[in-house]
């Protein structure tokens, strides 16, 4: 399992993913699930993946192979992010046509979900949630974020905090709290984390950071957020229904 979150703000984009796969008592692996496609100043895209690792790796490999080709559509040739999302969706369908029947014969579902975020010069930053069937939806001012993977534990803090007007720094803090909540509640999500920030109209990665367990800021977030929750809990009055 995994957890990825992408946030679309007036100030730019925040993308955060974990890197854990095949989690169990004695079998834990790490694979990068956040992929960057960038021509600084002209276009930048971040693609985060969740689902069957072999499927999502095949999708990313095919996208990279097409970047090197002078023929056909690629993430370098699409005119806007909507067409980039269509291109990713078409690639998912191609992998499905090739592999889905064989997977089904072994009782394996074709599972893949992706978040595509970025900006191409001449349009606004955009954020898409792409499904296993290759169809997708786009973020709106009312729904400025998407999650894929193990999303339920990290959703409440985002719903309470994030709006389109949230700053990149505040959104980064919120994303890390959301990730920490998920890590604490689900063994299948874990460090290291991949963080990518894009500032509006820069069309490049402003920050790309790998966050390990010893990361000073993430350590502060984990300890102080936990203490703040305990303090808030202790400050609430106990129920008194004796007079009902």
């Amino acid at each position: 399992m995994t957890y990825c979150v992408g946030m679309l703000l007036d100030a730019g984009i925040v993308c955060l993913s974990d890197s854990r796969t095949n989690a169990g008592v004695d079998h834990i692996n790490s694979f990068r699930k956040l992929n960057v496609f960038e021509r600084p100043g002209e276009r930048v895209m971040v693609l985060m993946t969740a689902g069957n690792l072999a499927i999502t790796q095949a999708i990313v490999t095919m996208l990279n192979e097409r970047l090197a080709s002078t023929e056909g559509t690629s993430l370098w040739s699409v005119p806007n992010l909507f067409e980039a999302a269509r291109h990713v969706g078409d690639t998912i369908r191609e992998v499905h046509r090739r592999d889905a029947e064989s997977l089904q014969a072994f009782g394996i579902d074709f599972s893949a979900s992706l978040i595509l975020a970025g900006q191409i010069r001449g349009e606004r930053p955009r954020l898409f949630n792409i499904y296993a069937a290759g169809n997708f939806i786009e973020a709106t001012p009312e729904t400025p974020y998407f999650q894929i993977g193990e999303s339920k534990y990290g959703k409440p803090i985002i719903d309470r905090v994030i709006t389109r007007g949230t700053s990149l720094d505040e959104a980064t803090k919120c994303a890390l709290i959301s990730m920490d909540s998920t890590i604490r509640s689900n063994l299948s999500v874990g460090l290291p984390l991949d963080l990518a920030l894009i500032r509006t109209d820069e069309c490049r990665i402003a920050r790309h950071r790998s966050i390990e367990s010893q990361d000073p800021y993430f350590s502060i977030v984990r300890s102080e957020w936990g203490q703040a929750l305990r303090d808030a809990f202790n400050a609430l009055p106990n129920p008194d229904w004796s007079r009902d």
Side-chain angles (χ1 to χ4, degrees):
M1 201 58 174
T2 189
Y3 176 47
C4 305
V5 57
M7 301 174 177
L8 178 64
L9 317 163
D10 294 336
I13 292 168
V14 174
C15 293
L16 182 68
S17 77
D18 82 318
S19 61
R20 181 166 292 183
T21 63
N22 298 327
V25 174
D26 58 359
H27 191 186
I28 296 176
N29 292 323
S30 293
F31 289 91
R32 173 165 285 182
K33 303 164 190 174
L34 186 152
N35 306 271
V36 174
F37 304 89
E38 180 183 29
R39 283 182 168 172
E42 194 265 321
R43 64 183 59 201
V44 59
M45 300 174 214
V46 173
L47 184 68
M48 295 185 288
T49 62
N52 183 292
L53 183 62
I55 294 170
T56 57
Q57 283 191 340
I59 293 166
V60 173
T61 297
M62 291 177 69
L63 291 170
N64 277 308
E65 288 176 348
R66 287 166 182 168
L67 294 178
S69 175
T70 57
E71 299 179 358
T73 302
S74 77
L75 292 177
W76 293 156
S77 66
V78 292
N80 54 58
L81 258 294
F82 182 87
E83 292 300 324
R86 286 185 60 184
H87 177 56
V88 174
D90 289 343
T91 304
I92 295 172
R93 293 188 186 105
E94 185 171 343
V95 174
H96 184 274
R97 286 192 295 269
R98 187 190 68 187
D99 295 339
E101 186 175 343
S102 298
L103 290 171
Q104 188 176 19
F106 286 90
I108 301 173
D109 293 332
F110 187 93
S111 64
S113 54
L114 301 91
I115 291 175
L116 177 68
Q119 185 176 17
I120 294 177
R121 180 64 65 190
E123 67 168 358
R124 69 189 188 281
R126 301 174 78 172
L127 176 69
F128 295 87
N129 190 357
I130 308 174
Y131 303 109
N135 56 328
F136 53 86
I137 59 174
E138 183 171 3
T140 66
E142 296 76 26
T143 308
Y145 75 91
F146 289 130
Q147 300 167 285
I148 55 176
E150 191 58 74
S151 60
K152 57 184 176 291
Y153 303 107
K155 182 175 171 60
I157 180 64
I158 300 176
D159 285 338
R160 286 181 168 89
V161 170
I162 295 299
T163 68
R164 287 294 290 266
T166 304
S167 71
L168 282 181
D169 286 343
E170 289 177 326
T172 299
K173 177 170 60 178
C174 181
L176 290 172
I177 292 171
S178 175
M179 182 66 73
D180 177 56
S181 299
T182 306
I183 290 172
R184 288 179 181 275
S185 299
N186 194 304
L187 179 65
S188 68
V189 178
L191 299 162
L193 311 179
D194 247 346
L195 173 69
L197 306 182
I198 301 169
R199 295 192 183 95
T200 296
D201 293 336
E202 288 190 358
C203 291
R204 65 178 181 87
I205 294 293
R207 180 177 295 277
H208 189 184
R209 184 178 183 89
S210 179
I211 299 174
E212 304 280 353
S213 58
Q214 299 85 9
D215 184 89
Y217 180 71
F218 190 54
S219 297
I220 291 172
V221 167
R222 303 191 83 176
S223 62
E224 295 197 6
W225 177 249
Q227 185 59 51
L229 286 177
R230 288 189 291 272
D231 291 344
F233 175 81
N234 291 331
L236 289 173
N238 291 328
D240 181 6
W241 294 315
S242 60
R243 289 171 289 182
D244 288 357

